């Protein structure tokens, strides 16, 4: 099966291996047929198994289908810069009469983002990812872009954001990706971003609230609020409120809030059970970096839950996601002690593509 190997799709199913002189082909509408070059005839059934098959899913990211001067289809792999007359989806065919699917879990902790979106086409979809110049945000933005979405990297540092855009375009030059300024520590910047986005007159199908800070020393933003609380929660809360009308108009749409299991280890109520606003944006004397982070993540959970309750009837879903035991990022850069601890833990944590998969699966 030299053609399969050329396309990067080695044949692993001996039962489906064709006899000498036979070739597997596909129609434009996704059906598989078989050509017998010895007898110069074609048929729908596999010559050995007698099964009929069809293509499962869309072309992998980076591939395009074109037609040569003789009217024959061929396929272009833009990422690896090669062409083939063999449909790359032949590795993912299914029987015409498939059996009942098993109840085995489809994804697990080792699943990558690219595997989650395998065969999915996001052409025409608009995605905004905050904090997308590195880490989970970058992997999420890249994966959406490589599957056809128009992706906007909403970042504070435009130099790094533009570098991230170049990296994505380096993987696929036809990716539709751009960077826009968004500083969650400035409510005015959030407002300006929303206005600039609306001026584009495009839809918004997915908003990933990913940007966050961790282990920062106490400081106040220019808006007079504790930085961790504003960046991790309030900035995103305000952003969603400003873009709510666009999300509803684009339904079905979704909001994904990247939270953390850390939300379990705190509370935001006083001794009487009432919300204590002073805990959300504490004074310097009452500040502890880890506790501030935990509280901001608890706010993420509560916000996402209430947002879903209010907007799901209008076609906008909201999910909060814990990316898992994942320390393999620069989130800990605020203090050298955390950097040391995370470096020691690095061999036991996920790669960026794994927690990113959680964001896409939700």
């Amino acid at each position: 099966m030299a053609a399969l190997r050329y396309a990067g799709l080695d044949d692993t199913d001996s039962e489906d291996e064709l006899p000498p002189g036979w070739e597997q082909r596909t129609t434009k509408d996704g059906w598989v047929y078989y050509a017998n070059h010895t007898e110069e005839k074609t048929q729908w059934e596999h010559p050995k198994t007698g099964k009929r098959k069809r293509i499962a899913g869309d072309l992998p990211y980076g591939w395009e289908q074109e037609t040569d001067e003789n009217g024959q289809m061929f396929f272009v792999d833009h990422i690896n810069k090669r062409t083939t007359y063999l449909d790359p989806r032949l590795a993912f065919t299914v029987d015409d009469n498939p059996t009942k699917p098993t109840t085995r879990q489809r994804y697990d902790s080792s699943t990558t983002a690219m595997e989650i979106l395998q065969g999915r086409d996001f052409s025409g979809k608009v995605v905004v990812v905050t904090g997308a110049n590195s880490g989970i945000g970058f992997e999420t933005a890249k994966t959406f872009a490589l599957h056809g979405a128009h992706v906007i990297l909403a970042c504070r540092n435009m130099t790094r954001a533009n570098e991230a855009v170049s990296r994505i375009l380096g993987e696929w030059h036809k990716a539709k990706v751009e960077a826009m300024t968004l500083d969650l520590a400035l409510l005015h910047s959030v407002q300006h971003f929303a206005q600039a986005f609306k001026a584009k007159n495009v839809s918004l199908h997915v908003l990933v609230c990913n940007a966050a800070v961790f282990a920062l020393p106490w400081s106040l933003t220019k808006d007079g609020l504790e930085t961790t609380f504003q960046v991790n929660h309030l900035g995103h809360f305000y952003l969603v409120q400003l873009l709510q009308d666009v999300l509803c108009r684009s339904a079905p749409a979704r909001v994904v809030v990247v939270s953390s299991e850390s939300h379990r280890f705190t509370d935001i109520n006083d001794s009487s059970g009432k919300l204590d606003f002073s805990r959300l944006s504490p004074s310097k004397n009452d500040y502890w970096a880890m506790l501030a982070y935990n509280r901001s993540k608890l706010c993420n959970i509560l916000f996402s839950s209430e947002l879903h309750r209010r907007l799901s009837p209008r076609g906008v879903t909201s999910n909060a996601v814990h990316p898992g035991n994942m320390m393999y990022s620069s989130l800990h850069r605020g203090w050298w002690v955390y950097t040391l601890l995370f470096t020691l833990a690095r061999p036991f944590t996920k790669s960026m593509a794994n927690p990113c998969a959680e964001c896409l699966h939700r």
Side-chain angles (χ1 to χ4, degrees):
M1 301 295 287
L4 276 175
R5 288 193 293 273
Y6 177 75
L9 304 169
D10 293 338
D11 183 32
T12 58
D13 189 349
S14 58
E15 181 189 50
D16 284 346
E17 186 173 351
L18 293 171
W22 287 81
E23 180 186 358
Q24 189 174 219
R25 297 177 178 175
T26 56
T27 65
K28 288 186 177 181
D29 54 357
W31 288 99
V32 178
Y33 69 99
Y34 304 90
N36 184 339
H37 294 294
T38 303
E39 300 180 11
E40 297 184 350
K41 68 176 184 179
T42 62
Q43 63 186 55
W44 295 110
E45 296 79 14
H46 190 284
K48 289 176 63 177
T49 66
K51 296 179 180 179
R52 291 193 179 197
K53 292 191 173 185
R54 57 184 174 81
I55 295 297
D58 301 310
L59 287 169
Y61 74 91
W63 286 78
E64 281 188 326
Q65 176 182 303
E66 297 187 12
T67 305
D68 63 17
E69 62 275 9
N70 297 319
Q72 187 174 357
M73 290 188 303
F74 68 96
F75 301 88
V76 181
D77 179 0
H78 291 287
I79 294 177
N80 296 304
K81 307 296 189 297
R82 58 186 179 179
T83 62
T84 175
Y85 281 89
L86 187 71
D87 192 326
R89 295 170 297 176
L90 285 172
F92 308 103
T93 58
V94 296
D95 293 342
D96 187 14
N97 296 307
T99 58
K100 184 178 180 180
T102 65
T103 57
R104 184 179 66 84
Q105 182 175 328
R106 187 176 180 185
Y107 306 117
D108 57 30
S109 60
S110 64
T111 304
T112 65
M114 296 305 293
E115 291 171 338
I116 290 288
L117 295 188
Q118 174 65 48
R120 300 287 300 276
D121 183 5
F122 280 82
S123 300
K125 303 297 184 181
V126 180
V127 179
V128 171
V129 184
T130 68
N133 61 276
S134 63
I136 299 174
F138 174 75
E139 292 295 330
T140 302
K142 180 183 74 173
T143 304
F144 272 122
L146 294 181
H147 285 81
H150 174 188
V151 182
I152 295 174
L153 283 65
C155 305
R156 176 179 59 85
N157 188 317
M158 287 304 292
T159 299
R160 292 180 179 177
N162 287 323
E163 290 174 353
V165 169
S166 297
R167 287 164 61 192
I168 295 174
L169 291 174
E171 292 205 30
W172 188 30
H173 71 284
K174 289 190 176 183
K176 194 171 184 180
V177 58
E178 61 178 302
M180 291 179 63
T181 303
L182 173 64
D183 187 347
L184 294 166
L186 295 170
L187 295 181
H188 177 72
S189 176
V190 178
Q191 187 178 52
H192 183 269
F193 173 87
Q195 292 172 343
F197 178 83
K198 289 182 176 181
K200 293 178 175 291
N201 292 316
V202 296
S203 300
L204 177 56
H205 301 98
V206 182
L207 172 58
V208 181
C209 299
N210 162 79
V213 293
F214 175 75
L216 292 183
W218 183 87
S219 66
L220 294 179
T221 66
K222 291 184 178 181
D223 299 303
L225 297 165
E226 190 277 313
T227 303
T228 300
F229 169 66
Q230 180 165 335
V231 172
N232 292 7
H233 171 64
L234 190 62
H236 281 129
F237 177 91
Y238 189 36
L239 177 64
V240 174
Q241 299 308 304
L242 294 175
L243 296 179
Q244 178 177 311
D245 56 336
V246 184
L247 285 164
C248 292
R249 191 169 63 246
S250 307
R254 66 170 48 189
V255 176
V256 178
V257 182
V258 181
S259 184
S260 170
E261 193 74 12
S262 299
H263 82 275
R264 298 182 183 277
F265 307 110
T266 187
D267 64 78
I268 52 177
N269 294 330
D270 59 22
S271 57
S272 64
K274 295 182 179 180
L275 178 62
D276 185 352
F277 287 99
S278 65
R279 297 190 181 192
L280 300 180
S281 183
S283 64
K284 186 174 183 179
N285 292 334
D286 297 326
Y287 180 78
W288 181 32
M290 191 68 212
L291 197 56
Y293 178 80
N294 293 355
R295 285 171 175 164
S296 70
K297 297 291 102 178
L298 177 56
C299 289
N300 287 164
I301 298 288
L302 297 174
F303 165 59
S304 179
S305 178
E306 179 62 16
L307 182 68
H308 182 80
R309 187 187 71 82
R310 295 189 183 193
L311 295 190
S312 57
R314 301 176 63 183
V316 180
T317 60
S318 179
N319 292 274
V321 56
H322 167 51
N325 177 28
M326 198 286 298
M327 301 181 184
Y328 185 68
S329 75
S330 58
L331 185 62
H332 53 78
R333 60 185 177 273
W335 190 24
W336 69 268
V337 174
Y338 283 110
T339 300
L340 175 60
L341 291 174
F342 286 15
T343 301
L344 293 174
R346 180 171 172 176
F348 309 101
T349 60
K350 297 180 177 182
S351 71
M352 280 300 160
N354 297 139
C356 169
E358 297 288 344
C359 299
L360 300 178
H361 181 41
R362 291 300 184 272

